[in-house]
Amino acid sequence: MATASVAHHDAAVHDHHDHEHHDNFITKYIFTQDHKMIGKQFLITGIFWALIGGFLSILFRLQLGFPDMNLEFLRPLLGGWIDESGKLDPTFYLALVTMHGTIMVFFVLTAGLSGTFSNFLIPLQIGARDMASGFMNMLSYWFFFGSSVIMFISLFIKTGPAGGGWVVYPPLSALEQAIPGSGLGMTLWLVAMTLFIASSLLGGINYITTVINLRTKGMSFSRLPLTIWAFFLTAVIGLLSFPVLFAAALLLVFDRSFGTSFYLADIYVGGEALPNTGGSPVLFQHLFWFLGHPEVYIVLLPALGITSEVIATNSRKPIFGYKAMIISMLGITILSFIVWAHHMFVSGMNPFLGSIFMFLTLIIAVPSAVKVFNYLTTLWRGNLIFTPAMLFSIGLVSFFISGGLTGIFLGNSAIDIQLHDTYFVVAHFHLVMGSASFFGLVAGVYHWFPKMFGRMMDPRLGYIHFWLTFTGVYLVFFPMHYIGIAGFPRRYYSWTNFSFTEMYTDLNMFVSVAAIITFAAQFIFLFNFFYSMYRGRKASLNPWRSNTLEWTTPLHPGHGNWPGEIPTVYRWPYDYSKPGAPEDFIPQTVPLSQTPESNLPHEQELVKLEMEIMKEESEVLVANESKH
């Protein structure tokens, strides 16, 4: 473990963010530069989008589970998208699927997860007054808000929102005359995603700079909580991959509006040949999935970081394999950039190239398995405290295992050719990416709610929320594996006309009912969240008896986080249940010299160095006071 001399705030930076700022309503709650308030803005906006995205999924599950149902009762809400016979318009079905995927992947699990917890926790856990640039941080949120407004508006236009699938493959997305969802809705989708990418890049640059430059004294990289490692590496992935999606979207705009042919060639519409030649839709797939697969880990790594902190704290044990966890996250970060073409095994790629991507895809299972092993070993024989956050973290590990195992099937090109575009794929990524990351988000809210709002959420409602959601997710996505193996295709509006799919009517109905109940269960969380914000039991300073720095701040920390000096860090963040210690936790701010009864041999050697540093600090302090 590294010792004390690391990069940290100098006095000028501390003075710049000096302790308390006097803000009015606008600068405190709206155009705020306080990282904690910005994190809350991302969280509230993410919760809004989660409700919208979840509701859209219920609409198309009604169509899939009850294809002959009369949906006339939805006409006041959907208007002309319910036809005269009371059926959902097929074009609108495509738009629902498209918007559900876009909202959940980008607006909820990227902005809602990274935007909330990277902003809220990075300065608090590394010992910084704020982000490196408060103004860039503010811009990051307002770019996201602008993106949200445009995407929300696109839901209400006459021709409907974007309808080319959340991956918006050309030529469907490139030709405005193709379907109604390729018109104005697609244009608005591209504008919204451009703003979203700008938001992500602004945030990512800020997170990376803050972690590298603004750590407090003693906070070496080997003393960072695993949450910070996860947020840091997530920002690196986003910074390298989101510009590629921006390039793909920009070329798509050129093809749609300026007559270029980056993605178009040999296209016939209504029997008439279009003048476009020389383009390739496969180029878009390469560009999209170069972001698309790292995006899986942009969504997943923050959730895994949160889980690491929650499981260690509530197991009252040091996280097992701290260095192995860091190395596995580094491995995932690197490998995530060289596996994108496993999404394209059916695009006609050279089988030899496919085998290379298959090999790399299966290798990425190794660092993922290391993380799972370390979580299970941390839980093993721990003094477990089943808070709602702990339950959701264990649920994440469960989904990560079950969803990850099906990834081994899909990573094999020979099997994937059979399973591609079936419900097996839908089940896989909803478990391993969607549900696992959502559980990480919810676990983080339950765990850090006392630090966000100074009050506790109701644990009884948390337990009900967990068991309904955990059971519901498996009841929704487990049956999808079976119908997927049988060849049930995804993105089909109507499937009752085919004899090979008719046998799955009951299973589809079962999945739809389970989805409706699971969605309804989220309103328990919603009530608990907003009610507890104002009426919840008041929290203590450190309700979970945790070691990290955020619990050393006041109950309602102001802009600047600590009213006096920022604490110095003397140890790693996982000194739980240390033999010889009087308590089962030792915060990072407790010097090794104060815990001789529990110090390990190598820590005893560090005590001398620590004492020398503290002596130098006191001498400097005395000298400064004598000058004044």
Side-chain angles (χ1 to χ4, degrees):
M1 195 180 294
T3 54
S5 58
V6 294
H8 58 279
H9 280 301
D10 57 25
V13 176
H14 279 200
D15 292 340
H16 178 68
H17 288 295
D18 194 25
H19 314 334
E20 288 290 339
H21 287 235
H22 298 288
D23 295 319
N24 57 39
F25 181 85
I26 300 292
T27 58
K28 185 174 182 180
Y29 294 107
I30 301 176
F31 297 111
T32 179
Q33 294 188 28
D34 182 354
H35 70 98
K36 299 181 292 300
M37 188 58 67
I38 292 171
K40 293 174 194 175
Q41 288 176 329
F42 271 106
L43 178 59
I44 301 294
T45 313
I47 288 173
F48 167 79
W49 275 120
L51 290 173
I52 298 289
F55 177 68
L56 298 183
S57 71
I58 296 305
L59 292 178
F60 63 72
R61 276 312 323 175
L62 284 174
Q63 170 62 33
L64 289 167
F66 310 95
D68 298 322
M69 178 190 277
N70 189 314
L71 299 177
E72 190 65 38
F73 67 93
L74 288 173
R75 187 179 294 280
L77 185 67
L78 300 181
W81 298 116
I82 302 293
D83 64 23
E84 293 171 1
S85 62
K87 296 287 188 291
L88 192 70
D89 185 276
T91 306
F92 191 64
Y93 176 85
L94 291 178
L96 288 174
V97 175
T98 303
M99 296 304 287
H100 168 74
T102 303
I103 287 166
M104 289 308 210
V105 171
F106 294 113
F107 286 38
V108 178
L109 295 178
T110 302
L113 186 49
S114 273
T116 297
F117 291 104
S118 295
N119 268 306
F120 190 79
L121 289 179
I122 286 176
L124 286 172
Q125 289 198 335
I126 69 171
R129 295 287 181 201
D130 206 322
M131 286 290 180
S133 170
F135 182 72
M136 272 177 62
N137 214 15
M138 179 187 74
L139 276 184
S140 171
Y141 174 73
W142 285 103
F143 267 110
F144 170 54
F145 185 82
S147 169
S148 297
V149 169
I150 292 170
M151 196 68 83
F152 189 67
I153 288 170
S154 77
L155 293 170
F156 300 99
I157 60 176
K158 187 176 180 180
T159 52
W166 80 276
V167 293
V168 294
Y169 283 172
L172 191 61
S173 61
L175 300 172
E176 295 191 22
Q177 65 269 44
I179 57 172
S182 297
L184 178 60
M186 184 60 67
T187 303
L188 292 174
W189 189 95
L190 289 165
V191 173
M193 285 307 300
T194 302
L195 292 174
F196 178 85
I197 292 166
S199 164
S200 298
L201 294 176
L202 285 167
I205 293 168
N206 226 353
Y207 306 151
I208 292 166
T209 308
T210 305
V211 172
I212 291 174
N213 292 326
L214 302 187
R215 287 167 287 131
T216 189
K217 187 162 191 177
M219 183 63 84
S220 61
F221 270 96
S222 61
R223 289 176 176 169
L224 288 175
L226 289 171
T227 39
I228 302 301
W229 273 105
F231 301 149
F232 176 71
L233 293 173
T234 299
V236 171
I237 296 173
L239 203 60
L240 295 174
S241 59
F242 268 116
V244 181
L245 180 64
F246 178 78
L250 192 64
L251 298 183
L252 187 55
V253 170
F254 285 167
D255 275 13
R256 285 172 58 82
S257 305
F258 301 110
T260 57
S261 300
F262 292 106
Y263 306 132
L264 299 174
D266 307 321
I267 303 287
Y268 289 81
V269 177
E272 183 182 338
L274 298 186
N276 306 85
T277 56
S280 169
V282 177
L283 169 62
F284 180 88
Q285 290 191 31
H286 279 292
L287 293 174
F288 180 89
W289 288 115
F290 191 83
L291 166 277
H293 199 78
E295 171 65 20
V296 171
Y297 295 100
I298 290 171
V299 162
L300 202 48
L301 278 180
L304 294 173
I306 288 167
T307 296
S308 302
E309 182 66 27
V310 172
I311 285 180
T313 301
N314 292 291
S315 298
R316 312 313 292 168
K317 277 177 66 179
I319 193 83
F320 184 86
Y322 175 80
K323 288 182 180 175
M325 293 288 251
I326 295 169
I327 292 167
S328 68
M329 283 194 285
L330 285 166
I332 286 171
T333 299
I334 295 164
L335 287 168
S336 70
F337 284 100
I338 50 176
V339 296
W340 79 88
H342 66 217
H343 297 271
M344 301 168 57
F345 284 144
V346 297
S347 66
M349 72 161 59
N350 185 307
F352 176 71
L353 187 61
S355 67
I356 292 172
F357 278 102
M358 181 183 81
F359 175 69
L360 293 169
T361 300
L362 297 180
I363 284 178
I364 208 168
V366 175
S368 303
V370 168
K371 293 191 77 64
V372 167
F373 173 78
N374 287 359
Y375 289 139
L376 296 178
T377 319
T378 304
L379 290 165
W380 178 251
R381 302 188 72 177
N383 184 16
L384 304 183
I385 303 167
F386 290 109
T387 64
M390 180 66 155
L391 290 174
F392 275 97
S393 295
I394 294 170
L396 180 151
V397 176
S398 171
F399 295 150
F400 198 49
I401 295 170
S402 53
L405 286 173
T406 56
I408 297 171
F409 288 70
L410 296 170
N412 187 313
S413 55
I415 300 174
D416 181 71
I417 288 168
Q418 304 301 318
L419 295 175
H420 191 82
D421 266 349
T422 69
Y423 265 79
F424 192 90
V425 179
V426 177
H428 159 71
F429 74 73
H430 274 88
L431 273 183
V432 78
M433 183 182 84
S435 300
S437 301
F438 178 73
F439 267 46
L441 169 62
V442 175
V445 172
Y446 278 112
H447 189 73
W448 280 288
F449 190 89
K451 182 50 56 184
M452 288 182 177
F453 301 106
R455 294 181 181 270
M456 306 292 287
M457 292 181 77
D458 187 329
R460 293 163 299 181
L461 291 177
Y463 296 140
I464 297 168
H465 176 220
F466 168 75
W467 286 111
L468 284 175
T469 307
F470 181 74
T471 309
V473 165
Y474 270 127
L475 291 178
V476 169
F477 298 115
F478 220 78
M480 286 187 186
H481 291 94
Y482 294 100
I483 60 176
I485 289 171
F488 193 89
R490 63 194 287 207
R491 301 197 182 100
Y492 272 43
Y493 161 79
S494 175
W495 45 270
T496 49
N497 301 329
F498 305 99
S499 57
F500 80 99
T501 56
E502 269 191 337
M503 68 183 81
Y504 296 111
T505 304
D506 292 344
L507 210 49
N508 262 306
M509 190 184 301
F510 177 83
V511 167
S512 291
V513 170
I516 292 166
I517 293 169
T518 308
F519 178 68
Q522 305 321 302
F523 287 92
I524 298 171
F525 169 78
L526 206 66
F527 170 79
N528 197 359
F529 181 85
F530 287 105
Y531 180 83
S532 300
M533 197 186 294
Y534 299 102
R535 297 288 185 89
R537 179 168 57 86
K538 287 189 177 179
S540 60
L541 279 178
N542 189 358
W544 315 123
R545 294 160 61 82
S546 192
N547 289 341
T548 42
L549 285 179
E550 72 270 27
W551 305 106
T552 65
T553 63
L555 189 60
H556 296 283
H559 192 176
N561 297 334
W562 287 269
E565 288 296 314
I566 293 179
T568 300
V569 167
Y570 298 98
R571 58 181 72 231
W572 77 321
Y574 299 109
D575 270 343
Y576 292 107
S577 301
K578 207 171 180 185
E583 299 247 25
D584 67 352
F585 73 110
I586 309 175
Q588 286 187 282
T589 53
V590 176
L592 294 167
S593 56
Q594 291 181 15
T595 56
E597 68 283 349
S598 63
N599 287 346
L600 301 173
H602 76 277
E603 290 175 328
Q604 284 296 129
E605 296 170 11
L606 295 175
V607 170
K608 293 178 183 176
L609 179 60
E610 183 187 282
M611 296 295 285
E612 290 174 11
I613 292 168
M614 291 171 74
K615 184 180 177 183
E616 287 176 12
E617 284 179 347
S618 62
E619 288 173 356
V620 170
L621 191 63
V622 169
N624 287 339
E625 285 178 354
S626 63
K627 285 179 184 176
H628 291 298

